[in-house]
Structures are given as C-alpha cells and as structure tokens.
Amino acid sequence: MGTSRHAILFLSGAGLPAWIWDGVRERLDGAHETSVAARPAGGSAGLREYAAAAIDSVRAERFAIVAHSAGGVVGAEVSRLAPARVVGLLAVSAVVPKPGGSFLTALPAPNRWVLGAAMRMAGTRPPESAIRRTLAHGLDERTVDRLVAGFAPESPGFHRDRIGGRPSYGRRGYVLTTRDRELSPSWQRRFAARLGASCRHELPTGHLPMLEVPDALAEVVSSFLASRPDASD
C-alpha cells in the first residue's frame, strides 16, 4: 500500500473538536498521513458544505475515512462525492444513513421525532448535563470539562440534510462501543449491518473511545487499513 493509501481523514461527531483525535493520531504518526476534517464557516452550512470542507482537509489523492458518531453521515456524503478518492470507511460508534437519508432519518422512531422537535426549539447544542452524563461517559473530569468548553453546535443542515444518493465506501469497518450511553450497542449493530462492515471490532468504552482508549483504537485503525478491500458496492 502506497503513501496515498495510508492517508486517513478523521471526522468528528457533532459538536466535537478536532483535538479528540490527538491521541490516536500521535500513535499512528510515521505510519500514516492523518488529518481532521475542518468544518465549513458560518452557522447555516448544509451537509454538502460539510463534506466539501472535509474533502478539502486532506491533501492525499486517496484516503480512508475514520468517522465518529454523526460524522458517519458526513463520511457517507464524502464517499458519494469523491468515490475515486475514498478507499474505505471505518465507522466508530457512528450513525450510518440509508442511501438518500439523513442523520435524523437514520435514528429510530420516536427518537428522531423527539430530537427533531428539540432542535427546532432549543438549537443543536445539547444541555451540559447531557454531555456529561451520556456523551462523555467513561472519561475523567478534566477531559469532560474540556469537552464541554469546546463543544460547538452544528448547523441544522448537518442533522437534517439528506445525502445525495448511494455512497461508494470501498472497504468498510465498524467499531462498536459496548458501554455507550449516547448510541446504544443495539443500534450500532444495526448501523454496522447497514454499512455492510466486513471488519468489526468491539471496545469496552463509552461513546468516545479515541479519548478513553486511544492505543486500542489506533490498533483497530491500523488493522482496518491492512485488511483486504471489500468487494465493490
């Protein structure tokens, strides 16, 4: 595998800063060229603008995507827009939409209705108590404080816009987090099946394994990149 095929684009979940990937990137340093997707400027960007900003964040001609949480929807749109460049997608406790679906439509009923109504009334930033209790479960207090301070609400389009069609992922893998309070393991299994993941791994963590067990996640990423490519979609 050449240098370009070792390139990795990390996609953070909704509201989460780029530094959450620092530990994993440090452990991969030297073996792979890594970058974290930038977000589009302004508060009204749509999903396509998020995907375009992500594509512009990686210099390599070909790259693998490691997408976390709601970043799985951005990863799907990146894969659709740049199929010749994407060699694979590793979903980390990630939401995987159906072709033509969105983050909200990917969620089970009634969750999608409740969340949609809550975002219309209160915006896309969850209460601090929810960040601490569910999203950041399993992390030390100092890291949780840093997450709360750095959380940046996404635009409504991030959650509501639909991907344009059927993505072309290349090789596909899924990392299931078994102590997750944000996205239940049962729903992660459904998303892994929807993705058609041939490589599956379980980590005994909450929703943020890149902060809780960066060594283990870095090993999973390396194993995924070394795996045999899947058959074409």
Side-chain angles (χ1 to χ4, degrees), residues 8-18 20-21 25 34-40 47 49-58 63-79 86 88-95 154 158 169 207-208 210 217:
I8 306 169
L9 175 65
F10 289 98
L11 296 173
S12 301
L16 296 172
I20 66 170
W21 297 107
R25 294 179 71 193
T34 68
S35 57
V36 180
R39 286 179 167 86
L47 180 61
E49 285 73 34
Y50 276 87
I55 293 169
D56 288 344
S57 300
V58 59
F63 56 92
I65 297 170
V66 177
H68 173 247
S69 195
V73 182
V74 180
E77 185 69 351
V78 169
S79 299
V86 176
L89 183 141
L90 179 65
V92 180
S93 52
V95 174
E154 307 291 358
F158 178 92
Y169 294 116
H207 195 57
L208 297 167
M210 69 290 294
L217 184 55

Side-chain angles (χ1 to χ4, degrees), residues 29 43 59 73 78 95 100 121 124 142 149 178 181 184 192 206 208 220:
D29 185 43
R59 294 178 299 175
V73 182
V78 169
V95 174
M121 293 185 294
T124 62
R142 181 177 179 181
T178 61
R181 293 183 178 180
S184 72
L208 297 167
V220 170

Side-chain angles (χ1 to χ4, degrees), residues 2-230:
T3 302
S4 63
R5 296 190 68 187
H6 279 170
I8 306 169
L9 175 65
F10 289 98
L11 296 173
S12 301
L16 296 172
W19 61 258
I20 66 170
W21 297 107
D22 286 354
V24 174
R25 294 179 71 193
E26 288 171 4
R27 288 157 176 81
L28 294 171
D29 185 43
H32 306 287
E33 175 188 341
T34 68
S35 57
V36 180
R39 286 179 167 86
S44 60
L47 180 61
R48 184 159 186 154
E49 285 73 34
Y50 276 87
I55 293 169
D56 288 344
S57 300
V58 59
R59 294 178 299 175
E61 180 60 28
R62 305 187 73 204
F63 56 92
I65 297 170
V66 177
H68 173 247
S69 195
V73 182
V74 180
E77 185 69 351
V78 169
S79 299
R80 187 188 71 83
L81 293 174
R85 297 185 64 190
V86 176
V87 300
L89 183 141
L90 179 65
V92 180
S93 52
V95 174
V96 178
K98 293 180 180 178
S102 68
F103 170 78
L104 281 179
T105 65
L107 299 179
N111 304 57
R112 71 173 75 104
W113 305 324
V114 172
L115 181 58
M119 288 193 299
R120 283 193 295 271
M121 293 185 294
T124 62
R125 181 186 177 92
E128 180 178 333
S129 59
I131 296 175
R132 292 181 178 277
R133 184 178 65 254
T134 59
L135 177 65
H137 173 64
L139 303 178
D140 63 87
E141 187 173 352
R142 181 177 179 181
T143 302
V144 175
D145 289 343
R146 190 181 177 197
L147 274 175
V148 170
F151 193 95
E154 307 291 358
S155 73
F158 178 92
H159 299 91
R160 297 184 182 280
D161 287 359
R162 295 172 180 265
I163 63 174
R166 183 176 178 84
S168 179
Y169 294 116
R171 73 187 68 183
R172 287 148 282 168
Y174 201 98
V175 180
L176 188 146
T177 45
T178 61
R179 298 175 184 170
D180 201 317
R181 293 183 178 180
E182 181 76 10
L183 190 64
S184 72
S186 63
W187 273 96
Q188 291 183 58
R189 291 186 184 95
R190 294 192 187 194
F191 290 136
R194 179 177 295 169
L195 181 64
S198 60
C199 299
R200 301 192 188 190
H201 301 267
E202 292 190 4
L203 293 177
T205 70
H207 195 57
L208 297 167
M210 69 290 294
L211 293 175
E212 199 171 341
V213 289
D215 287 299
L217 184 55
E219 289 180 7
V220 170
V221 172
S222 294
S223 175
F224 171 73
L225 290 174
S227 64
R228 184 175 60 86
D230 299 324

